[in-house]
Amino acid sequence: SMNFDMAKRVIRHFTKDKPRFHITFFGGEPLLNYRLIKDVILWCGTLSQTKFSFALTTNGTLLTRAHLAFFKQNNVALKVSYDGEGLQEKQRLALEQGRKLPTRVKDRVLIRMQEELVTLRSFGLRATVDREGISAFYEALKGTLNSHSYRIAFSRVSSDDPDRMFRKEDVTKLTQVYNRVVDHFLQENNFDALMRIDNLKRWVLAVHRGRGNKSYCGAGISYLSVSTEGKFYLCHRFTEDKKACIGDIEQGFDQKKLEAIIGFREKTRDPCRSCWMREFCGGGCFHEHRMANGAIDVVDPLFCMLQDMELKVAMRVYLAMVKEGYHERL
């Protein structure tokens, strides 16, 4: 676990001469170190030269009303890992009295604490789909959108384990399932539900505004992660991956690595050079490239398939929105 002294050193290092700064508490399970989270937020409130914002991602198993009260008071955005009915029970297990049982996040948190959750600055769900869970994803996603007013983002499992790695046929299946969910809500003209899917909303807004992304994310540019020992990494998905370390609190940044990352973002390469999505995708996710190819600058073709699917679905939804006049609300 990171200690308070390290947290303060890191924050001082990155906030020098910065009027605004955003901190996300991530894990593992960050609420195992809630004392530090609370200390950091309260301490940041004493630093008048920088305006801070905060977010936290948790699996929800330790979440309490006391946590939510503190998060509300300090404008902390919250994400809870929840895969949806059926998937959650299959994919996320807890050890209780020596037995592996499904985590009870839905009943204990999403239902029982609903009044507190909706008063937070921002609240959303984060779903993960593994290869074995694709068939259950239709009911899981549709059920979540029908039963909650919460936003939800989903992603596939990203792993270099051959048994867990997605294959082309898995992406095809996931595409079919996602289109079925979208079709269900399009038939009802329920655009409010569809816009609670963060994956979809992101692309719909990009199409509506007529501009894409110079980069898929801010990893290595405006965003990075810091390990408990004060080492810097491209993003939270790389933390403690030695190959992805880009510096540390003692020595600062490895400038050669940073320049290579920025160069990859700025230079259009194959297959991106001739890709119809190049103005929207921005080169993809470094971590998913690494898991697929062992290198962050070799594009994962399955990632491209998923982006192609998401953007085409967003275009289809946007056309339906225009037909119904819903786009005027965007």
Side-chain angles (χ1 to χ4, degrees):
S1 295
M2 182 179 284
N3 61 51
F4 191 27
D5 287 340
M6 177 61 74
K8 289 190 289 186
R9 285 186 66 192
V10 168
I11 292 167
R12 286 195 183 101
H13 180 85
F14 286 112
T15 58
K16 185 179 180 181
D17 301 324
K18 287 187 173 62
R20 294 179 180 274
F21 195 75
H22 181 75
I23 298 172
T24 296
F25 300 100
F26 212 85
E29 173 47 50
L31 290 180
L32 286 168
N33 201 6
Y34 177 64
R35 179 73 256 173
L36 173 70
I37 293 168
K38 192 172 182 179
D39 288 344
V40 165
I41 291 174
L42 294 175
W43 176 73
C44 286
T46 68
L47 305 178
S48 58
Q49 74 276 13
T50 303
K51 184 176 181 179
F52 289 89
S53 57
F54 304 97
L56 182 143
T57 298
T58 172
N59 64 24
T61 55
L62 300 177
L63 194 64
T64 67
R65 284 191 169 91
H67 293 141
L68 295 179
F70 180 77
F71 296 156
K72 179 182 177 181
Q73 183 179 4
N74 292 277
N75 295 315
V76 179
L78 182 67
K79 278 194 176 181
V80 170
S81 299
Y82 177 70
D83 305 326
E85 196 102 29
L87 268 183
Q88 181 80 7
E89 293 81 358
K90 180 179 180 181
Q91 296 183 164
R92 299 182 190 269
L93 303 177
L95 194 64
E96 298 178 17
Q97 297 179 342
R99 295 182 298 163
K100 286 186 177 181
L101 299 172
T103 55
R104 305 296 181 185
V105 171
K106 179 184 176 183
D107 296 335
R108 197 183 65 78
V109 176
L110 302 185
I111 294 177
R112 195 176 302 173
M113 301 182 189
Q114 185 172 9
E115 291 185 7
E116 290 89 347
L117 292 172
V118 297
T119 64
L120 296 176
R121 178 172 70 85
S122 176
F123 175 70
L125 305 176
R126 187 69 172 78
T128 302
V129 186
D130 67 16
R131 294 182 60 231
E132 302 301 320
I134 296 173
S135 59
F137 184 57
Y138 173 75
E139 292 296 340
L141 181 56
K142 188 182 75 167
T144 299
L145 294 172
N146 275 327
S147 60
H148 303 292
S149 60
Y150 307 137
R151 295 171 17 245
I152 184 168
F154 70 88
S155 67
R156 60 166 174 160
V157 167
S158 179
S159 172
D160 55 3
D161 181 343
D163 293 330
R164 304 194 72 204
M165 289 178 68
F166 265 57
R167 301 160 191 171
K168 188 175 181 179
E169 57 267 29
D170 300 316
V171 175
T172 300
K173 290 177 185 176
L174 184 58
T175 298
Q176 292 168 347
V177 170
Y178 184 46
N179 273 284
R180 281 182 62 204
V181 173
V182 170
D183 287 342
H184 171 82
F185 290 102
L186 280 180
Q187 288 171 7
E188 300 177 345
N189 282 335
N190 191 347
F191 299 114
D192 288 342
L194 287 172
M195 289 297 280
R196 292 202 306 274
I197 305 174
D198 283 348
N199 307 61
L200 178 61
K201 183 176 181 178
R202 173 193 182 193
W203 292 124
V204 165
L205 291 177
V207 172
H208 178 68
R209 294 165 181 168
R211 61 176 184 266
N213 303 296
K214 290 184 178 179
S215 60
Y216 178 75
C217 68
I221 301 174
S222 60
Y223 173 76
L224 54 81
S225 68
V226 182
S227 73
T228 58
E229 297 176 345
K231 295 184 182 295
F232 307 155
Y233 297 86
L234 282 173
C235 77
H236 59 279
R237 303 178 85 175
F238 282 106
T239 303
E240 297 186 11
D241 177 344
K242 292 181 180 179
K243 292 182 179 179
C245 183
I246 55 175
D248 59 53
I249 191 66
E250 301 294 341
Q251 303 297 325
F253 285 109
D254 184 322
Q255 291 298 328
K256 288 185 178 180
K257 288 185 177 180
L258 276 183
E259 288 169 7
I261 291 162
I262 294 170
F264 174 79
R265 291 296 199 200
E266 292 180 344
K267 186 176 180 180
T268 303
R269 307 181 182 187
D270 292 328
C272 304
R273 192 193 313 274
S274 58
C275 179
W276 74 277
M277 299 183 296
R278 64 185 178 275
E279 299 300 330
F280 287 91
C281 175
C285 170
F286 285 142
H287 185 264
E288 297 199 16
H289 296 345
R290 163 69 66 78
M291 292 299 101
N293 305 305
I296 65 172
D297 57 353
V298 179
V299 176
D300 173 17
L302 296 190
F303 178 87
C304 298
M305 283 182 66
L306 285 165
Q307 295 303 294
D308 178 271
M309 174 268 286
E310 288 191 11
L311 188 48
K312 286 178 177 176
V313 168
M315 289 177 170
R316 188 158 63 88
V317 170
Y318 185 69
L319 287 174
M321 287 179 172
V322 171
K323 183 178 178 180
E324 299 296 328
Y326 186 95
H327 69 296
E328 296 177 359
R329 298 165 56 181
L330 297 176

